[in-house]
Amino acid sequence: MSVMEFVLVAHAIIVGLAVAEILRGLADIVRAERTNISARLCFPEKVAESDLEAYYARVAPTLYLLVAATYAAFAFLLQPLVFDRIAPSVFVSQIMLVILAVIASQYEKRAFHYGVLAAMISQVAWRGLSTVIGSRSISCSMSVTK
């Protein structure tokens, strides 16, 4: 297993656990029960007694700044240190998402937030697919040359 495959598997596990916690919080919202999840910034402590719109307006800037910091860390630390190089297309897409997340932290329009989230999900899907397709084409070309 290469370093890239290991990082992608570790990332998938972490994202899967985070999504599971968020879905559990959403289920608690639907059932109107008290929620107690790891992703504490996503939901208020007592969901049934909270105004979710006001809570989102209050924590959204912090969440988007954390996301911007994460993408910046991936762009400037993960690529050079783990992969020994910076892929220009990946670097540019991550920097664009850093900029969008910083703008989203200051801009309160819900439609813009949805667009930023869609761009982030698209970038993750694009990177995952390009990694899988790229590794298959490399292994196919290696098997042909043998």
Side-chain angles (χ1 to χ4, degrees):
M1 178 181 278
S2 70
V3 173
M4 186 171 175
E5 290 170 337
F6 176 77
V7 169
L8 288 174
V9 168
H11 180 265
I13 291 170
I14 292 169
V15 169
L17 290 172
V19 169
E21 290 294 326
I22 290 171
L23 290 175
R24 193 175 106 198
L26 289 173
D28 289 346
I29 288 174
V30 170
R31 290 189 307 229
E33 294 178 5
R34 184 178 179 275
T35 183
N36 186 11
I37 60 175
S38 299
R40 299 207 184 268
L41 283 177
C42 291
F43 300 104
E45 194 169 323
K46 297 181 179 179
V47 174
E49 303 161 4
S50 299
D51 178 12
L52 295 178
E53 293 286 329
Y55 184 79
Y56 175 79
R58 187 170 54 91
V59 300
T62 304
L63 288 173
Y64 279 106
L65 288 176
L66 287 172
V67 167
T70 303
Y71 271 105
F74 282 153
F76 292 108
L77 296 176
L78 186 66
Q79 284 191 55
L81 296 178
V82 174
F83 303 122
D84 295 328
R85 65 182 177 84
I86 292 179
S89 61
V90 175
F91 183 78
V92 168
S93 69
Q94 288 174 332
I95 294 304
M96 287 174 48
L97 290 174
V98 168
I99 293 167
L100 285 174
V102 169
I103 292 170
S105 73
Q106 303 300 314
Y107 193 59
E108 296 180 7
K109 292 290 184 183
R110 188 69 54 96
F112 184 73
H113 288 193
Y114 289 149
V116 171
L117 291 173
M120 290 176 181
I121 291 168
S122 299
Q123 197 260 357
V124 169
W126 166 67
R127 286 297 301 141
L129 289 175
S130 65
T131 301
V132 170
I133 292 169
S135 66
R136 284 189 183 166
S137 65
I138 291 170
S139 64
C140 290
S141 64
M142 288 176 63
S143 65
V144 170
T145 57
K146 290 182 180 179

